[in-house]
Amino acid sequence: MSAGPEAVSAVERRLAELGLTLPGVAAPVAAYVPAVVTGNHVYTSGQLPFIDGALPAAGKVGAEVSAEDAKAYAARCAVNALAAIKAQIGDLDRVTRIVKVVGFVASDPGFTGQPGVINGASELFAQVFGEAGSHARSAVGVAVLPLDAPVEVEVIAEFA
């Protein structure tokens, strides 16, 4: 098969329209795999906002990291989750629904805007998948995340 435009999925074209490309799948930082398929669902491990293999920021949202930046990092986590999903099912056009998103926000004790931060991931899925991007969700504030990341997102996607 050629590497021409016909080889690019509609989902990846929509990502490109947003100025985004799928990265390689991030290597696990502990004893787990990036994603697992069971039945017609893909469950991703928590995805950090790696860009070119590095975290763009570290620290607590509401202190060292602004809520606006954290929202952008949540969107990056979503893109990284899509890379992990594609690695399992081969083509993101096979995704029929984003079922669930769980977002973790490393939060300063007084920060209560976790839902707004995780909207970065939710809004990206809506832009990329339309109605199929609507999902159930949790947005949780935590004391600290791996590598002192400000945000982490995990996804459950259904595919055909």
Side-chain angles (χ1 to χ4, degrees):
M1 182 179 207
S2 74
E6 67 279 2
V8 177
S9 73
V11 169
E12 289 180 81
R13 280 193 302 275
R14 284 192 290 279
L15 285 168
E17 290 167 4
L18 297 170
L20 300 167
T21 58
L22 290 178
V25 178
V29 298
Y32 62 91
V33 294
V36 172
V37 171
T38 184
N40 63 336
H41 290 87
V42 180
Y43 292 73
T44 73
S45 294
Q47 300 293 312
L48 300 179
F50 288 123
I51 299 173
D52 296 327
L55 287 177
K60 306 291 183 281
V61 179
E64 299 88 1
V65 179
S66 72
E68 181 179 310
D69 286 347
K71 182 178 178 181
Y73 301 149
R76 185 59 192 202
C77 292
V79 171
N80 293 345
L82 290 175
I85 291 166
K86 181 181 178 183
Q88 290 297 307
I89 65 172
D91 183 351
L92 290 175
D93 286 350
R94 294 181 65 197
V95 173
T96 56
R97 178 141 203 122
I98 300 297
V99 176
K100 175 96 187 233
V101 171
V102 180
F104 302 95
V105 181
S107 301
D108 183 72
F111 182 74
T112 60
Q114 293 83 7
V117 169
I118 301 306
N119 276 350
S122 295
E123 291 168 4
L124 180 108
F125 289 133
Q127 289 177 299
V128 171
F129 292 102
E131 182 60 31
S134 297
H135 52 269
R137 186 182 90 178
S138 299
V140 181
V142 297
V144 68
L145 288 168
L147 307 177
D148 202 22
V151 65
E152 179 176 352
V153 172
E154 61 183 54
V155 177
I156 301 169
E158 183 179 44
F159 67 96

